[in-house]
Amino acid sequence: MSGDIKRGTAEMTAAMLISGTIGWFVVMSGQPVSGVVFWRCLFGALTLLAICGALGLLRPGILTWRTFGIAVFGGVAIVLNWLLLFDSYSHATISIATTVYNTQPFMLLMLGALFLGEKITATKLFWLMLSFAGMVAIVQAKPGGSGNTVDGYGLGILMALGAAFFYALAALAAKWLKGTPPHLIALIQVATGMLMLAPMTDFSHPPTDLGTWAILVTVGVVHTGLMYVLLYGAIQRLPTHLTGALSFLYPIAAILVDRLAFGHALQPMQIAGAAIILIAAAGMNLGWSPRWLRPRALQS
């Protein structure tokens, strides 16, 4: 294993483990979701501003107005993604929300077909249908056994799906920004989030205890600034298949944190649904193809 692969693997692993713990920080902050996201954007922006300055990315001429506009669009999408995902934790638990959120590759598949002209192959359609089956299993496994999904649990699932959709929009924007320094894109995104959320943030009653501020600073500096640096460093060093494989440390870590910190154990049907979704997402990310969907020439 080359040095770049080793370093990239370590960076991707750290980035995914950090991401997997954010649910705990959001819940333990005790703050409104919009407030958590605002402070995440503020402290994340300060961190990324320092990083971009150190990398020489703040000089004029790097961005055109078009790329800046697309980056702002991606920022709006990523902030809406955070708002919905964090709010879904209180309705459907961190484990379920994070698992449902991992349907994002399929959201990107549909958007890519609509806006980039990418083909939806039979194999991709198979993984999409399998993911949908996993979603049905999770919905049917609602606590209390009621079939009505228009309640807290169903709302949490819908929020996580909405978060996945807006993440896919942000990823689509990133595809349009190919060649633009990713740390600069991230800085524009969190700065956009600050402007979006400032009007709805209650500055007259800020957190009063040091513990809450420590959590908010950690979410901004570690889960945003540091995580972006690790993630983008890993993406630059790792082949796509390894990046995709290591990304599944994120939902696994989130499920473990939810179990250990809050005692939320998944029911058998939820475990089955979560496993189906994660397998489908793995198949999509890693390019797996069931034998019966391969052309005959490839099977011989």
Side-chain angles (χ1 to χ4, degrees), residues 95-110:
S95 299
I96 293 300
T98 304
T99 300
V100 172
Y101 181 62
N102 271 270
T103 58
Q104 56 196 246
F106 304 103
M107 305 285 187
L108 186 56
L109 170 67
M110 304 304 291

Side-chain angles (χ1 to χ4, degrees), residues 25-90:
F25 283 86
V26 170
V27 173
M28 295 306 294
S29 72
Q31 298 297 301
V33 167
S34 60
V36 173
V37 177
F38 172 81
W39 295 112
R40 177 183 194 180
C41 289
L42 174 62
F43 293 122
L46 293 174
T47 305
L48 288 164
L49 184 65
I51 292 170
C52 288
L55 295 175
L57 299 178
L58 300 179
R59 64 183 186 277
I62 293 182
L63 292 176
T64 65
W65 282 110
R66 177 182 177 276
T67 56
F68 178 76
I70 294 173
V72 169
F73 167 79
V76 172
I78 205 72
V79 169
L80 291 174
N81 149 72
W82 288 339
L83 289 170
L84 287 169
L85 180 62
F86 293 171
D87 208 10
S88 71
Y89 293 156
S90 62

Side-chain angles (χ1 to χ4, degrees), residues 35-284:
V36 173
V37 177
F38 172 81
W39 295 112
R40 177 183 194 180
C41 289
L42 174 62
F43 293 122
L46 293 174
T47 305
L48 288 164
L49 184 65
I51 292 170
C52 288
L55 295 175
L57 299 178
L58 300 179
R59 64 183 186 277
I62 293 182
L63 292 176
T64 65
W65 282 110
R66 177 182 177 276
T67 56
F68 178 76
I70 294 173
V72 169
F73 167 79
V76 172
I78 205 72
V79 169
L80 291 174
N81 149 72
W82 288 339
L83 289 170
L84 287 169
L85 180 62
F86 293 171
D87 208 10
S88 71
Y89 293 156
S90 62
H91 297 286
T93 76
I94 294 171
S95 299
I96 293 300
T98 304
T99 300
V100 172
Y101 181 62
N102 271 270
T103 58
Q104 56 196 246
F106 304 103
M107 305 285 187
L108 186 56
L109 170 67
M110 304 304 291
L111 291 172
L114 285 173
F115 297 105
L116 301 178
E118 297 177 350
K119 289 186 177 181
I120 299 179
T121 64
T123 298
K124 291 178 180 179
L125 188 59
F126 168 77
W127 293 124
L128 177 61
M129 297 306 294
L130 189 65
S131 174
F132 179 75
M135 186 72 55
V136 170
I138 286 177
V139 171
Q140 292 301 314
K142 186 190 98 154
S146 170
N148 179 18
T149 60
V150 187
D151 59 3
Y153 184 71
L155 179 61
I157 289 175
L158 289 174
M159 285 180 170
L161 284 172
F165 172 75
F166 283 112
Y167 181 89
L169 281 181
L172 185 67
K175 283 178 175 284
W176 286 330
L177 291 170
K178 188 174 181 180
T180 305
H183 301 93
L184 190 56
I185 296 172
L187 174 59
I188 294 171
Q189 288 177 340
V190 293
T192 299
M194 286 171 52
L195 295 176
M196 284 175 60
L197 297 174
M200 61 185 74
T201 302
D202 186 3
F203 296 107
S204 61
H205 297 90
T208 55
D209 62 290
L210 188 60
T212 300
W213 279 115
I215 287 173
L216 295 174
V217 170
T218 300
V219 168
V221 175
V222 177
H223 291 88
T224 307
L226 177 60
M227 197 277 291
Y228 266 115
V229 172
L230 291 170
L231 179 63
Y232 289 139
I235 289 173
Q236 290 173 354
R237 293 181 176 89
L238 295 178
T240 302
H241 73 276
L242 193 50
T243 302
L246 290 171
S247 69
F248 289 95
L249 290 173
Y250 165 43
I252 292 171
I255 290 170
L256 288 175
V257 167
D258 198 24
R259 180 70 178 94
L260 295 174
F262 303 110
H264 292 153
L266 297 178
Q267 301 175 21
M269 186 71 87
Q270 289 174 321
I271 293 173
I276 290 170
I277 289 174
L278 294 181
I279 289 170
M284 183 76 174

